[in-house]
Amino acid sequence: MTISSPQFKNTEVGEARLSAEVLAERGGSHSLIWIVLVAGLVISVASAFLLKTMVQASQRKDFLAQCAEIKTEIANKLDDHARILWSAAALFHASSQVSRREWHLFIEKQNIETQLPGTQAIGFALWIPREELSRHIQTVRDEGFPDYTVHPAGERDVYTPIVYLEPFSGRNLAAFGYDMFSDPVRRAAMRRARDGDAAALSRRVTLIQETDEDVQPGTVMYVPVYRNGAPLDTVDQRRSALVGWIYSPYRMKDLMRGILGKRLWEKRWSLRLQLFDGPRALPESLLFEDGPLNETSFLPGATLSHEMPIVFRGSAWTLRFEKSGVGMMSEECAIVRFVLVAGTLISVLLAFLIFSLSRTRTEAVRIARKLTGNLKASEEKHRLLIENSHDIIYTLDRQGVFTFVSPSWAMLLGHPENQVLGQSFQPFVHPEDVKRCELFFRQAMETGQPQVGVEYRIKNAGGGWRWHVSNVTPLKDSEGVVLGLEGSASDVTDRKLAEEETRKSSDMILLLLNSTAEAIYGIDLEGNCTFANPACLRMLGYESAEQLVGKNIHQMIHHSRVDGETIPPDACKICQVLREGKGVHVENECLWRFDGTSFPVEYWSFPQRIDGKVSGAVVTFLDTTERRVTNEKIRQLSEAVEQSPASIVITDKEGNIEYVNTKFVQVTGYSVKEAIGQNPRLLKSGERPQEFYKELWETILAGKEWQGDFHNKTKDGRLFWESALISPVKNENEKITHFVAVKEDVTERRKVQEEIKRQSALITSLLDSIPDLVFFKDLNGVYMGCNPSFAAFIGRPKQKIIGKTDYDFFSKDVAEEFKKHDQIMLETGELRHNEEWITYPDGRRALLDTLKSPYWGPDGKVFGILGISRDITRRKKAEDELAESERKFKTMFESSKDAIMILTPEGKYLDANFASKELFECKDVSQVLSMTVSDFSPEIQSDGKKSFQKASEMISEAMEKGSNFFEWVHKRLTGTEFFSTVLLTRMELRGRIVLQATVRDITELKKVESLKNEFIGTVSHELRTPLTALKESIGIVLDGSAGDVNEEQKDFLGTAKRNVDRLSRLINDVLDLQKLESGKMSFDMQENDMNFLIEDVRNTMEPVCARKGLSLSAQREEKLPPVTIDKDRMIQVLTNLVNNAIKFTEQGGITIGIDYKDGENTYRVFVEDTGPGIRQDDMPRLFRRFEQLKISGSRKTGGTGLGLAISKQIVEAHGGKIWAESEIGKGSRFIFLLPVKEQRSRRRV
Amino acid sequence: MSKRILFVDDEVDVQKVAVFRLRKAGYEVVTAVNSDEAWDWIQRETFDLVFLDLRLPGITGAEMCKKIKSDEKLKKTPVILFTASVRNLALLTKEVGADDFLIKPFETEQLLGKVKRAIFRENQ
């Protein structure tokens, strides 16, 4: 057992604490550093600043001094310049005339270049009033300057040309003759000089002498020259005394350079000078500047500047000085810089010094702290260890006496400290263990090495023993001499006890191992057998464990599979256990016996662990041979059940499903999982009543088998039939434990059964409903069955028929006859069909059409005789009648004189009678039949239409209307054409729609007709001619044109005339009628106003009416549109109607009118009278030819009898209708209806 | 001067009565019994009206009318067709260019009326 020490957290805490302190300290020193640094910097800066100020002050002083110096210099120099000029002026004073040459010499002597550097020239300008200018110019020219002019040119009051100028060369030449007064700047200075009698400096000018090179600003100094001896006290005096000026131009740069030289650039000076013309330093008045350029410096105080005015003889200039390089970066300030830098440096150094010092200190402190901490920590550790350990810490001296024991001693063992200290250990230790302890301690002390693991019993206060285990460490002094031992002991009583227990149990285990029938062996990590129990040895056929122990088990017994395939150790599951530390359970491997045979085993292998690490494995195995066999049997059995074509359900005794086979799943759609636990009633379709299930339960609970059908439902609701056998399963005590249901799907079978039932029901119904007699007999002629009709026929109920024979029902001969037929049929095996006259039982005779057929049984053999009889008496009659009528028809057909043909709607002849053959001049009827309509017609008919086309039209009409009567031009086979009439009638012949065509040759008729027409035409003409003569002759005499006539003569002549007229009318009417009827009348159809017509007729007929005392009125119909009519013919009709009305009306009046409703396409015209009316019987006769109604009195009316017939024809030809309405006593009304638009009616022959 | 009418009809009796009427009415009437004779008359003399019976020996009245109407000199002469056969008389009249027609038997007024109209139509 090892002692593990608790971890200390204290050290870390200590450390942390340490750091904080250090930081705090550091912080302190930090602030010092900063203070020092800052102070130092401040001081250095301050002193630097101070120094700088001082330096700068002195700098400034120097600077100013320099400025003043220069100014003085300049001023002086200017004075010098002036002096020269004055001396030049003096020359003029001294001598009355100064010649050019004198001037030249004088100036030369002055040596102005050296004396007055910067002076361009010295010259003299003469003051000349205008009036003297030309003289002057001349004078000068005479001197030898032919080109001399005073310039600039122009009229001025005075001129001041430059006349003398030295040096008289180069640039200066340009100034010769220049009138300076013309320039305002110069003028100002000149005036100043003149008026003040002083030298004057002009403002900034550009000198005349200037060329383009190096253009400098310049200035001119003037000194006045007065007349010798003139008073000069006042300005005026001076002005009048002026002779001229001495002047000297200066180029500024040259002048200044001359004055200053290079002074400005000298190190000492290092000034920048700007000279401005005027009192202010403005850039535009800059005259001159020189000196080193200022570098822009951002250091404050880097540049000094100063402005000072300089006045010279009234001219004010401004001097501006700039000195750069002062300030911090200047030489003077070097010391400042030095101070600054030095000071800073010193401060920094100081600060750093302090910093490092402090750091060192803190570091040292830190280390010290740490060490202390550590020490403290370990001390602490130790202390805690000692105090808190459950282990006892003790020390023994060399004698084995306790010098120290930790508090745990007291705690664990109950002896207080004081009782232990000073005692030797032996009394505390169990006598049996004392020796061991002594040995142990001695070992430690002698070797000087720590010793571990001594176990002993130690007394506790209660008198009991505790097992302890102890480790000791020798305590040595500095020389290594063992002073004593320090030891720690822990209580291992429990362990010991446990060990004891373990031993006990391992004995037990051993016992178990040896006695168990299960084979158990163990292996170590290498797979070598560590033990094997007797059962194992027995099963494997080994005699002793030595044979296995120590050997590699895998090699010995587990090396291969049943089929001989080697199992490599890696694949060995048992060994796997060793590797993975997980138990395995294997069923399908085998082990090998000592004798080389193998047997199937089921084994478990579990890892052995020691202290959590796998140290080996224990394997238990069973010989599963027998089990296998049993399993196999079971398997086979269950396979059978599984694969049974029947659904098998096994339930517990409550009816909960425990097992279902595959078929069940298939049939019901429920999976095994879904079924198990359920009650079979889940299949219930609900069809069966409760009692059904109740009965089932009762049966099976009583221990009996139950058989029945279920109408069940699959999972998806489909219904099916099952025939089930449910049996109870009993255990040994005859108690029911399970129920087994074996079910067969009989859905199909039931379906079939039902089908059969249905079909047989169908057959029965059929048979029963067939009016025919149906019966069947067996091979001996005994009736097996029949239908009600047959029973009715026999006159007996079905039951009475079955079992009997024909002999029982019919007379012997008849029965014999039947039998004969039956026999024949049975022999031939074919159907027999015959007609027989039968006498009903009630004496009626009937013709039966009997069909007899063999009755084939299911096995293919003849079973009996099947017969169906039909009473065909009526049919026969009908057939006979039909045949009769056909014959009649045929006779008529053949004997008719008219050609009658039957043809198809397509125009093909199906049949033709004799007459047709004759008509068309064919050889025989069959020739006719080979023709079509087109063959018997010419190509074109008389109306121009193609026969082919017209024929189909005619046929269509016949088909549509049922019949069609028309004229047709036919062509005989011989080619001759002839007129005919055709009557096409649609009819049905033997189920086919055909047309019957009756063709009549009307050539004769036509001839007759044309003859008639001709006759009538001729006759009428022939009749008319004499009539004309007759009429006129009578007329002439009658009206006295041929002489006087007496009354009697007049009377008879009148008679004659009347009759002539009548005759004439008759002829006309006949002609008209004939024309109309033959369709030969032509109508001149025009639009007319009917009202007008009526009016016309009214006018014409009015006198006639008036003569009879009748009124005649005409009604207009305004809404009637113009109508299309033959005017004359209509008038004819109206006249006729009115005439009739007049004829038949005695009193009252006649009205002509129109009925028309707006928008209609027909209108009615009527003629109404107030006559006696027309009898209903007479109505049909009205419009007939030559029919005249009698007026009361049977007086002939004198008409032709054709009027109405003609009117009818006319109206109908217009496409209208005419009729009469009348009421006896009230009057009559003749109405004709006409279409508004022309509409010809079909002409009919 | 009275109007001259040429009356062409092969029926003597008819002619007699018609001519009587015409003469009674004041017309001068010349008669012819066939087309040739009629043609002669027309060629030789002028007439104010020609009455043509349709049924004539030789050329028919219709032809005659056509002939007259196509003749430059004669076409102005009014022609009245005179016949018993009514068939398409109006049409025929138009066809042959006759001015009018009269149906036998006729009323006296009819005859005279038509004559008057024909002659005076021409004169207008």
Side-chain angles (χ1 to χ4, degrees):
Chain A
M1 190 162 121
T2 53
I3 302 167
S4 54
S5 54
Q7 283 291 80
F8 266 102
K9 288 282 190 294
N10 283 351
T11 333
E12 291 165 21
V13 171
E15 283 242 19
R17 243 189 274 137
L18 228 48
S19 310
E21 281 181 357
V22 165
L23 267 171
E25 284 230 358
R26 264 206 213 144
S29 57
H30 271 173
S31 27
L32 182 62
I33 292 167
W34 284 117
I35 290 165
V36 165
L37 191 66
V38 167
L41 283 170
V42 164
I43 289 168
S44 29
V45 165
S47 40
F49 188 70
L50 217 64
L51 221 58
K52 176 158 156 325
T53 316
M54 276 165 46
V55 165
Q56 273 190 336
S58 92
Q59 273 184 336
R60 187 155 186 92
K61 222 189 329 167
D62 281 342
F63 173 61
L64 286 173
Q66 281 173 346
C67 295
E69 206 178 308
I70 287 172
K71 178 182 169 181
T72 316
E73 192 80 34
I74 293 170
N76 287 343
K77 272 294 188 253
L78 282 173
D79 276 338
D80 287 343
H81 278 264
R83 216 165 286 127
I84 299 286
L85 291 178
W86 278 119
S87 57
L91 185 67
F92 277 85
H93 280 195
S95 116
S96 54
Q97 285 282 12
V98 178
S99 73
R100 200 174 296 279
R101 186 158 167 77
E102 282 165 351
W103 178 258
H104 171 77
L105 283 168
F106 173 75
I107 297 303
E108 201 181 47
K109 260 292 185 262
Q110 295 300 317
N111 211 356
I112 47 172
E113 278 89 10
T114 39
Q115 290 289 337
L116 303 170
T119 311
Q120 290 296 109
I122 301 184
F124 173 71
L126 189 62
W127 192 82
I128 299 172
R130 187 169 38 164
E131 49 272 18
E132 292 177 29
L133 180 65
S134 38
R135 192 157 65 83
H136 160 75
I137 292 170
Q138 196 55 50
T139 312
V140 175
R141 283 200 182 148
D142 292 342
E143 285 182 37
F145 303 98
D147 299 320
Y148 176 78
T149 52
V150 172
H151 56 89
E155 285 284 315
R156 292 189 283 277
D157 285 335
V158 291
Y159 296 92
T160 63
I162 298 164
V163 291
Y164 296 142
L165 188 61
E166 290 299 323
F168 195 57
S169 60
R171 288 189 198 185
N172 290 338
L173 286 169
F176 191 42
Y178 173 61
D179 175 10
M180 290 184 289
F181 220 58
S182 64
D183 170 46
V185 177
R186 289 180 175 84
R187 185 163 63 240
M190 287 158 91
R191 275 208 184 111
R192 237 187 306 127
R194 176 194 64 189
D195 295 345
D197 188 17
L201 205 57
S202 78
R203 303 288 305 264
R204 186 175 133 144
V205 293
T206 309
L207 301 174
I208 301 295
Q209 288 92 325
E210 286 300 336
T211 58
D212 291 313
E213 298 166 21
D214 189 20
V215 176
Q216 294 177 12
T219 185
V220 186
M221 193 186 288
Y222 294 95
V223 160
V225 176
Y226 301 103
R227 233 186 0 265
N228 223 344
L232 304 167
D233 303 304
T234 65
V235 171
D236 289 322
Q237 282 173 347
R238 289 178 190 148
R239 282 194 189 158
S240 54
L242 187 74
V243 172
W245 291 268
I246 306 290
Y247 83 100
S248 176
Y250 305 102
R251 291 171 88 223
M252 267 338 282
K253 214 189 259 178
D254 296 343
L255 175 68
M256 297 315 294
R257 282 267 168 80
I259 294 171
L260 298 168
K262 277 271 193 249
R263 193 175 312 183
L264 296 171
W265 293 92
E266 282 171 30
K267 222 16 189 286
R268 190 170 83 82
W269 295 87
S270 196
L271 282 175
R272 185 161 186 81
L273 168 66
Q274 284 170 317
L275 183 63
F276 296 90
D277 175 22
R280 292 214 295 277
L282 299 167
E284 52 266 30
S285 40
L286 182 71
L287 287 174
F288 163 80
E289 70 179 343
D290 197 11
L293 273 167
N294 294 325
E295 296 123 13
T296 39
S297 172
F298 46 80
L299 283 175
T303 313
L304 291 167
S305 67
H306 184 60
E307 274 180 27
M308 46 195 336
I310 179 169
V311 179
F312 178 78
R313 306 285 192 276
S315 306
W317 284 353
T318 310
L319 290 168
R320 189 160 179 278
F321 299 92
E322 254 180 34
K323 186 165 181 153
S324 62
V326 297
M328 284 306 290
M329 300 324 293
S330 62
E331 278 182 39
E332 296 79 17
C333 283
I335 186 147
V336 177
R337 290 197 296 274
F338 174 72
V339 166
L340 198 63
V341 171
T344 313
L345 215 57
I346 290 167
S347 338
V348 170
L349 279 171
L350 255 169
F352 185 69
L353 194 66
I354 294 170
F355 167 72
S356 49
L357 277 175
S358 69
R359 211 163 77 101
T360 319
R361 197 172 90 79
T362 51
E363 194 61 33
V365 169
R366 197 177 71 81
I367 290 167
R369 279 274 161 81
K370 190 163 175 193
L371 289 173
T372 325
N374 281 348
L375 190 61
K376 264 217 191 95
S378 54
E379 272 186 19
E380 191 66 25
K381 236 196 259 181
H382 210 180
R383 191 176 63 76
L384 281 167
L385 199 70
I386 292 172
E387 282 183 16
N388 296 330
S389 175
H390 282 195
D391 296 350
I392 299 167
I393 312 288
Y394 60 86
T395 51
L396 298 167
D397 66 11
R398 289 191 72 91
Q399 280 69 45
V401 173
F402 285 108
T403 51
F404 165 78
V405 285
S406 70
S408 335
W409 185 286
M411 244 173 14
L412 286 175
L413 296 172
H415 313 120
E417 235 178 78
N418 49 14
Q419 282 187 11
V420 180
L421 289 173
Q423 302 289 326
S424 51
F425 68 86
Q426 283 90 339
F428 292 95
V429 174
H430 195 279
E432 290 175 20
D433 307 319
V434 169
K435 204 78 185 155
R436 203 180 316 133
C437 290
E438 282 177 355
L439 227 70
F440 184 72
F441 291 139
R442 194 163 306 143
Q443 185 79 350
M445 280 198 270
E446 278 169 16
T447 60
Q449 300 293 329
Q451 302 291 317
V452 300
V454 66
E455 287 182 8
Y456 53 89
R457 275 157 287 187
I458 193 159
K459 190 161 43 173
N460 73 0
W465 294 101
R466 307 290 297 178
W467 273 102
H468 278 199
V469 70
S470 218
N471 301 336
V472 292
T473 315
L475 292 167
K476 299 185 192 148
D477 66 10
S478 45
E479 278 111 48
V481 174
V482 178
L483 300 168
L485 298 170
E486 188 194 69
S488 66
S490 34
D491 190 321
V492 294
T493 319
D494 300 317
R495 182 173 62 105
K496 266 299 195 203
L497 282 171
E499 276 178 10
E500 192 59 47
E501 285 299 317
T502 314
R503 205 175 311 120
K504 274 207 205 124
S505 41
S506 59
D507 287 342
M508 276 276 286
I509 287 167
L510 210 59
L511 189 63
L512 264 168
L513 277 177
N514 290 335
S515 55
T516 186
E518 283 184 358
I520 307 174
Y521 68 86
I523 54 171
D524 63 15
L525 281 167
E526 272 85 58
N528 299 326
C529 179
T530 49
F531 72 90
N533 78 338
C536 171
L537 295 170
R538 207 181 4 176
M539 278 197 218
L540 291 170
Y542 289 92
E543 291 193 346
S544 74
E546 281 80 30
Q547 284 175 299
L548 286 175
V549 172
K551 308 242 178 42
N552 187 301
I553 269 291
H554 184 80
Q555 299 288 13
M556 304 284 296
I557 67 170
H558 194 220
H559 47 83
S560 317
R561 293 195 212 283
V562 182
D563 47 20
E565 191 194 325
T566 329
I567 305 172
D570 312 310
C572 165
K573 294 232 172 56
I574 298 170
C575 306
Q576 192 181 315
V577 170
L578 296 169
R579 288 193 295 275
E580 293 178 12
K582 281 205 289 243
V584 299
H585 173 204
V586 175
E587 271 190 63
N588 55 2
E589 288 181 18
C590 67
L591 292 178
W592 298 86
R593 295 202 189 86
F594 180 59
D595 60 8
T597 55
S598 73
F599 61 98
V601 293
E602 182 184 356
Y603 67 78
W604 293 259
S605 175
F606 291 101
Q608 268 181 311
R609 279 212 169 78
I610 295 180
D611 298 328
K613 282 230 283 274
V614 177
S615 57
V618 174
V619 179
T620 318
F621 62 85
L622 290 171
D623 185 339
T624 56
T625 323
E626 215 178 285
R627 185 157 47 127
R628 293 240 170 141
V629 170
T630 315
N631 279 350
E632 185 59 36
K633 277 213 196 94
I634 291 172
R635 195 190 61 77
Q636 281 169 354
L637 273 169
S638 84
E639 269 300 311
V641 169
E642 242 327 284
Q643 293 174 358
S644 167
S647 287
I648 299 176
V649 179
I650 301 177
T651 69
D652 64 14
K653 58 183 191 313
E654 268 83 50
N656 302 315
I657 297 175
E658 286 187 357
Y659 165 82
V660 291
N661 73 342
T662 320
K663 186 75 187 171
F664 177 88
V665 173
Q666 266 173 18
V667 167
T668 62
Y670 291 100
S671 71
V672 175
K673 228 192 269 194
E674 288 169 328
I676 288 181
Q678 299 283 343
N679 189 295
R681 71 170 72 94
L682 87 103
L683 298 174
K684 219 168 21 170
S685 67
E687 279 191 26
R688 297 281 193 201
Q690 276 294 91
E691 293 76 55
F692 177 76
Y693 294 102
K694 191 149 159 276
E695 194 241 315
L696 190 163
W697 267 112
E698 281 170 4
T699 316
I700 61 176
L701 279 171
K704 294 207 273 279
E705 278 184 0
W706 179 93
Q707 203 169 13
D709 286 353
F710 289 107
H711 196 190
N712 279 340
K713 200 168 57 167
T714 65
K715 188 174 176 191
D716 15 281
R718 200 171 47 83
L719 295 172
F720 65 100
W721 281 98
E722 278 185 324
S723 168
L725 173 68
I726 306 180
S727 349
V729 174
K730 302 188 187 127
N731 65 5
E732 313 83 46
N733 298 332
E734 293 295 303
K735 281 258 178 353
I736 296 168
T737 52
H738 297 91
F739 293 110
V740 176
V742 180
K743 300 192 281 185
E744 230 185 287
D745 187 332
V746 296
T747 320
E748 283 306 313
R749 184 150 49 112
R750 274 191 93 92
K751 256 201 223 152
V752 168
Q753 279 173 350
E754 289 210 13
E755 190 63 32
I756 290 170
K757 260 197 232 145
R758 227 200 332 271
Q759 281 188 4
S760 65
L762 179 66
I763 290 168
T764 313
S765 306
L766 262 171
L767 286 178
D768 288 351
S769 59
I770 292 177
D772 295 347
L773 316 175
V774 182
F775 58 88
F776 38 104
K777 304 187 256 193
D778 70 8
L779 293 167
N780 298 322
V782 176
Y783 280 96
M784 288 197 290
C786 68
N787 75 342
S789 307
F790 185 78
F793 169 71
I794 297 293
R796 290 192 212 185
K798 191 165 46 176
Q799 294 86 326
K800 286 265 165 66
I801 297 172
I802 293 170
K804 304 265 193 325
T805 68
D806 287 319
Y807 289 96
D808 300 312
F809 305 123
F810 300 104
S811 61
K812 193 149 177 282
D813 322 307
V814 173
E816 288 287 316
E817 194 67 25
F818 282 161
K819 191 159 178 200
K820 195 169 76 188
H821 282 300
D822 294 347
Q823 298 291 53
I824 298 168
M825 187 218 56
L826 286 171
E827 275 163 34
T828 60
E830 284 172 7
L831 299 172
R832 276 190 72 78
H833 193 188
N834 58 280
E835 286 181 12
E836 293 151 337
W837 279 101
I838 299 291
T839 316
Y840 270 91
D842 58 9
R844 250 186 324 139
R845 273 177 65 81
L847 183 63
L848 291 182
D849 180 3
T850 312
L851 175 73
K852 288 216 179 96
S853 111
Y855 184 0
W856 299 102
D859 48 1
K861 286 226 272 278
V862 177
F863 212 49
I865 299 155
L866 179 65
I868 305 175
S869 282
R870 189 173 287 176
D871 185 339
I872 56 163
T873 330
R874 210 181 327 172
R875 192 186 70 179
K876 194 97 182 135
K877 215 195 270 179
E879 276 177 2
D880 290 342
E881 278 172 14
L882 183 63
E884 179 69 29
S885 74
E886 268 209 34
R887 259 204 307 279
K888 279 198 199 139
F889 172 75
K890 207 55 188 194
T891 316
M892 273 195 323
F893 186 71
E894 281 309 320
S895 59
S896 171
K897 291 213 192 59
D898 287 329
I900 306 177
M901 292 164 286
I902 311 288
L903 57 118
T904 67
E906 288 74 49
K908 174 138 185 11
Y909 292 114
L910 293 175
D911 200 359
N913 69 351
F914 183 78
S916 40
K917 159 193 156 288
E918 293 285 294
L919 179 65
F920 290 108
E921 290 180 2
C922 297
K923 267 204 300 216
D924 50 37
V925 174
S926 53
Q927 194 174 34
V928 175
L929 297 182
S930 67
M931 300 292 186
T932 64
V933 172
S934 308
D935 294 326
F936 285 134
S937 313
E939 208 181 308
I940 303 181
Q941 288 294 307
S942 46
D943 60 0
K945 274 213 184 113
K946 282 212 173 63
S947 299
F948 182 69
Q949 198 184 323
K950 193 161 181 204
S952 6
E953 281 173 26
M954 293 295 116
I955 288 170
S956 308
E957 206 177 316
M959 292 292 277
E960 204 183 296
K961 296 217 181 108
S963 66
N964 191 7
F965 185 68
F966 55 93
E967 280 186 21
W968 190 261
V969 179
H970 272 108
K971 190 174 76 174
R972 281 182 247 270
L973 209 62
T974 51
T976 49
E977 293 176 17
F978 63 95
F979 277 100
S980 62
T981 54
V982 178
L983 172 67
L984 279 179
T985 318
R986 184 188 69 209
M987 62 184 244
E988 194 181 309
L989 195 67
R990 300 202 189 101
R992 235 169 121 178
I993 305 282
V994 294
L995 294 155
Q996 181 184 288
T998 309
V999 182
R1000 196 172 287 172
D1001 188 342
I1002 55 164
T1003 323
E1004 285 301 316
L1005 256 170
K1006 279 263 184 223
K1007 263 197 222 153
V1008 165
E1009 197 179 307
S1010 75
L1011 268 173
K1012 179 186 95 177
N1013 286 337
E1014 214 186 292
F1015 173 73
I1016 290 178
T1018 317
V1019 158
S1020 64
H1021 192 271
E1022 292 303 316
L1023 281 172
R1024 274 186 159 140
T1025 313
L1027 263 178
T1028 316
L1030 200 54
K1031 182 173 160 186
E1032 279 311 302
S1033 299
I1034 292 170
I1036 289 168
V1037 175
L1038 194 53
D1039 68 23
S1041 304
D1044 289 329
V1045 251
N1046 67 28
E1047 285 305 315
E1048 223 177 332
Q1049 286 167 336
K1050 237 190 219 161
D1051 183 34
F1052 281 111
L1053 282 170
T1055 308
K1057 180 172 192 302
R1058 266 202 315 280
N1059 280 287
V1060 165
D1061 284 338
R1062 187 171 155 196
L1063 203 55
S1064 189
R1065 277 202 306 278
L1066 186 62
I1067 292 170
N1068 279 335
D1069 286 347
V1070 165
L1071 265 177
D1072 275 349
L1073 193 61
Q1074 186 272 330
K1075 261 197 244 156
L1076 284 165
E1077 282 182 356
S1078 70
K1080 292 274 171 32
M1081 174 82 86
S1082 62
F1083 290 88
D1084 182 17
M1085 303 294 272
Q1086 301 280 342
E1087 266 193 16
N1088 276 292
D1089 182 2
M1090 202 52 152
N1091 290 307
F1092 197 73
L1093 247 74
I1094 289 169
E1095 192 58 39
D1096 203 354
V1097 168
R1098 201 200 73 80
N1099 290 334
T1100 315
M1101 300 306 291
E1102 222 255 323
V1104 183
C1105 286
R1107 250 182 279 150
K1108 209 171 171 187
L1110 300 167
S1111 68
L1112 178 61
S1113 57
Q1115 284 175 6
R1116 291 178 72 82
E1117 177 52 73
E1118 295 304 332
K1119 283 187 281 188
L1120 181 70
V1123 295
T1124 313
I1125 47 170
D1126 183 327
K1127 181 169 165 210
D1128 293 330
R1129 298 288 159 221
M1130 272 303 140
I1131 290 177
Q1132 193 174 350
V1133 169
L1134 282 166
T1135 313
N1136 172 248
L1137 291 177
V1138 172
N1139 270 326
N1140 285 347
I1142 295 171
K1143 256 184 250 171
F1144 285 87
T1145 311
E1146 290 304 313
Q1147 60 195 45
I1150 297 157
T1151 318
I1152 315 171
I1154 308 177
D1155 277 332
Y1156 175 69
K1157 277 208 205 62
D1158 205 359
E1160 284 187 347
N1161 54 7
T1162 59
Y1163 63 98
R1164 289 199 270 200
V1165 181
F1166 60 87
V1167 175
E1168 220 167 51
D1169 65 49
T1170 54
I1174 304 165
R1175 289 209 309 263
Q1176 284 300 102
D1177 299 343
D1178 294 334
M1179 280 293 195
R1181 290 168 53 206
L1182 279 175
F1183 295 93
R1184 283 197 207 147
R1185 276 186 279 187
F1186 304 114
E1187 291 268 1
Q1188 285 179 315
L1189 294 186
K1190 296 195 179 67
I1191 316 164
S1192 54
S1194 69
R1195 190 161 58 99
K1196 278 267 175 100
T1197 56
T1200 54
L1202 293 176
L1204 282 176
I1206 291 173
S1207 297
K1208 181 164 187 273
Q1209 285 291 327
I1210 291 172
V1211 165
E1212 282 178 6
H1214 277 73
K1217 264 187 6 188
I1218 187 166
W1219 69 98
E1221 286 164 14
S1222 179
E1223 214 181 304
I1224 301 290
K1226 291 276 174 64
S1228 318
R1229 190 190 233 245
F1230 280 78
I1231 310 158
F1232 59 94
L1233 175 88
L1234 287 176
V1236 174
K1237 285 267 181 279
E1238 176 181 340
Q1239 193 183 320
R1240 288 292 186 98
S1241 67
R1242 294 267 180 78
R1243 301 288 179 73
R1244 293 224 317 234
V1245 172
Chain B
M1 180 160 129
S2 53
K3 304 293 173 185
R4 286 174 65 125
I5 302 175
L6 177 63
F7 200 93
V8 187
D9 196 330
D10 68 334
E11 284 287 327
V12 177
D13 283 337
V14 171
Q15 210 186 77
K16 184 163 105 196
V17 292
V19 168
F20 179 84
R21 285 292 188 206
L22 288 168
R23 283 197 180 127
K24 202 68 188 291
Y27 296 101
E28 211 182 297
V29 186
V30 173
T31 59
V33 289
N34 59 46
S35 15
D36 290 326
E37 200 185 331
W39 191 248
D40 269 340
W41 274 108
I42 297 179
Q43 297 287 14
R44 275 193 279 127
E45 304 191 22
T46 54
F47 292 93
D48 297 294
L49 178 70
V50 178
F51 250 99
L52 277 177
D53 179 28
L54 284 181
R55 263 190 34 177
L56 291 173
I59 319 170
T60 62
E63 288 295 320
M64 191 70 198
C65 180
K66 274 201 222 163
K67 212 163 143 179
I68 293 169
K69 286 297 175 182
S70 53
D71 186 301
E72 277 300 312
K73 276 195 283 157
L74 301 170
K75 69 176 178 200
K76 284 225 182 114
T77 318
V79 174
I80 298 181
L81 298 178
F82 192 44
T83 182
S85 49
V86 187
R87 233 189 289 177
N88 294 322
L89 197 48
L91 204 64
L92 185 67
T93 311
K94 278 207 198 80
E95 252 178 55
V96 300
D99 298 81
D100 209 342
F101 61 88
L102 186 64
I103 300 171
K104 297 185 219 178
F106 54 81
E107 296 293 323
T108 315
E109 302 91 63
Q110 263 191 321
L111 169 70
L112 293 174
K114 286 190 190 257
V115 165
K116 200 193 268 181
R117 269 205 299 276
I119 289 178
F120 286 107
R121 207 186 306 145
E122 157 55 29
N123 285 344
Q124 279 167 357

